[in-house]
Amino acid sequence: MAYASPGTDTSTDLDADEKNQMLELGQLASLTASGSGDKSKDKLGQKALRRLAQNREAARKSRLRKKAYVEQLENSKLKLAQLEQELQRARQQGIFIPTPGDQPHSTNENGALAFNMDYARWQEDHNKQTNELRALLNAHASDDDLWRIIDSIMAHYGEAFRLKSVAAKADAFHVLSAMWKTPVERCFLWLGEFRPSELLKLLASHLEPLTEQQFASICNLQQSSQQAEEDLSQGLKVLQQSVAETLASGSLCPAGSSGNAADSSGQMAVAIGKLGTLENFLQEADNLRLQTLQQMQRILTTRQSARALLAISDYFSRLRALSSLWIARPRGMNSAGSSVDDTRYFQ
């Protein structure tokens, strides 16, 4: 019986099968020609036919196994290429992707890595939607066409905040630090994302001309957003102070003690309980961001909303571009372009 291993070439298998079949046919022909009336020879002929049929069936199954194996290898190769492209895009956007020596060892780290990958895909889809909106606006498309893509972008923002909510349950500090964003973006963040009131200020020049009613509504929205931001910031400050006081309230460790968490397990349990409320602050902040975007959409006309969404996307794209330029800047140069001796800062 011919057997095709995964590493065997298909043409070799087929040649072997054909040779076996030709051999069987030759034997059968010789038996038949020598005496077709002989019962023993008839039995040998029938046995040869069965063996020939078995060989053909074995060869057919072998080819099917070989074909399935090759298809599986091709699919695995395609998935690997797609994963490598996603990792490359994520690194270009400044998203932290661990190296093989830094594989995650906990549920929190696995959740953070999964969110980073999801956000990279979200950013790619967002760029496609923004490009489509820009093309429609430049082509003077109808309000119905613009509204369709505007609704799609708004729903996509909601999906981003949903992903962040899931990630915050796994690791609130990962969301708070926004390690999936570029360094320059993180410099301007508030509770893991943009500050709604500041974003409204940046959009002011892109929303003109505004009616008096629109201008008043935008001002009221900016004030209410700023007040909500201050409340959340104050609540976070109180939480930080409470955790710090909890850790500092214990008695001094006895002589010879290591002073680690095991020596103050009670304090640590209380502090962990308080830190559990951090997820609520992140959720409230994202709710405020989404509500601000939705309120802005209700105040503006269709074309104003389109320009506002494009301005938001362009602003964050420039922040990412600035981060890339900052990382790639020549070292040892000051803002005027002259060389700087960095060693003097450490003397």
Side-chain angles (χ1 to χ4, degrees):
M1 182 182 298
Y3 174 73
S5 64
T8 305
D9 184 73
T10 307
S11 61
T12 305
D13 296 338
L14 292 177
D15 292 342
D17 296 337
E18 291 175 356
K19 290 179 180 179
N20 290 333
Q21 292 177 14
M22 292 298 294
L23 179 61
E24 295 290 347
L25 287 173
Q27 293 174 352
L28 179 61
S30 62
L31 288 172
T32 305
S34 61
S36 58
D38 195 327
K39 292 183 178 181
S40 62
K41 292 181 178 179
D42 288 343
K43 291 181 180 179
L44 289 174
Q46 294 174 0
K47 184 177 180 180
L49 285 174
R50 287 195 300 269
R51 191 159 56 245
L52 182 60
Q54 291 173 354
N55 286 346
R56 284 198 298 267
E57 180 64 17
R60 186 184 67 84
K61 292 181 179 180
S62 176
R63 289 192 295 271
L64 290 176
R65 287 195 299 269
K66 176 67 177 295
K67 182 179 179 181
Y69 180 77
V70 172
E71 290 178 352
Q72 182 181 4
L73 286 180
E74 292 176 349
N75 292 334
S76 299
K77 182 179 179 181
L78 180 60
K79 291 179 180 179
L80 179 60
Q82 292 174 346
L83 180 59
E84 289 177 348
Q85 291 177 357
E86 291 180 359
L87 289 173
Q88 184 64 25
R89 285 194 295 267
R91 290 191 177 99
Q92 290 175 353
Q93 295 170 2
I95 299 175
F96 171 71
I97 302 295
T99 60
D102 298 326
Q103 290 299 320
H105 301 286
S106 68
T107 303
N108 288 355
E109 291 173 337
N110 284 324
L113 178 59
F115 172 76
N116 288 355
M117 299 299 297
D118 289 338
Y119 183 82
R121 286 189 288 268
W122 180 93
Q123 185 65 59
E124 182 179 0
D125 293 338
H126 178 72
N127 292 338
K128 293 179 181 178
Q129 291 179 330
T130 303
N131 292 335
E132 182 180 355
L133 177 61
R134 195 186 310 277
L136 289 174
L137 193 61
N138 292 336
H140 304 286
S142 65
D143 286 358
D144 290 340
D145 291 336
L146 289 175
W147 196 256
R148 174 183 55 82
I149 188 63
I150 288 173
D151 277 347
S152 178
I153 292 176
M154 292 297 297
H156 202 52
Y157 272 117
E159 174 65 12
F161 295 134
R162 186 194 67 80
L163 291 174
K164 287 181 61 183
S165 178
V166 174
K169 288 180 172 61
D171 187 355
F173 287 99
H174 181 74
V175 177
L176 181 64
S177 61
M179 292 303 296
W180 64 91
K181 291 185 176 291
T182 61
V184 174
E185 283 181 291
R186 292 197 294 269
C187 183
F188 293 89
L189 295 185
W190 168 77
L191 282 175
E193 263 292 352
F194 62 88
R195 189 183 289 268
S197 62
E198 292 296 331
L199 195 62
L200 290 174
K201 290 181 182 179
L202 297 172
L203 292 176
S205 60
H206 298 276
L207 302 180
E208 297 177 352
L210 293 172
T211 65
E212 293 184 2
Q213 183 177 359
Q214 285 180 321
F215 182 77
S217 298
I218 290 293
C219 289
N220 292 335
L221 178 60
Q222 182 179 345
Q223 292 176 359
S224 61
S225 298
Q226 189 170 0
Q227 182 61 51
E229 292 165 11
E230 292 176 357
D231 293 341
L232 285 173
S233 297
Q234 183 62 29
L236 182 61
K237 183 178 180 180
V238 171
L239 173 62
Q240 292 171 335
Q241 183 176 357
S242 177
V243 172
E245 291 175 351
T246 299
L247 297 178
S249 62
S251 58
L252 294 177
C253 297
S257 174
S258 61
N260 57 21
D263 299 322
S264 54
S265 57
Q267 290 173 281
M268 293 301 172
V270 174
I272 290 175
K274 292 181 177 181
L275 286 177
T277 61
L278 181 60
E279 178 187 337
N280 297 332
F281 283 97
L282 295 172
Q283 183 67 48
E284 289 296 325
D286 280 345
N287 289 340
L288 176 62
R289 295 180 183 104
L290 183 58
Q291 291 171 7
T292 301
L293 291 174
Q294 292 171 342
Q295 289 291 340
M296 180 189 70
Q297 183 185 12
R298 296 188 185 100
I299 295 171
L300 303 177
T301 65
T302 301
R303 296 190 178 277
Q304 287 173 334
S305 296
R307 293 201 304 269
L309 291 176
L310 288 179
I312 293 173
S313 179
D314 289 346
Y315 172 71
F316 289 115
S317 294
R318 289 164 186 161
L319 281 180
R320 289 191 293 271
L322 179 59
S323 185
S324 299
L325 293 173
W326 170 259
I327 294 173
R329 76 191 188 284
R331 298 301 191 269
M333 301 293 290
N334 60 16
S335 59
S338 58
S339 61
V340 176
D341 183 8
D342 292 337
T343 59
R344 62 189 176 90
Y345 294 107
F346 303 97
Q347 294 177 352

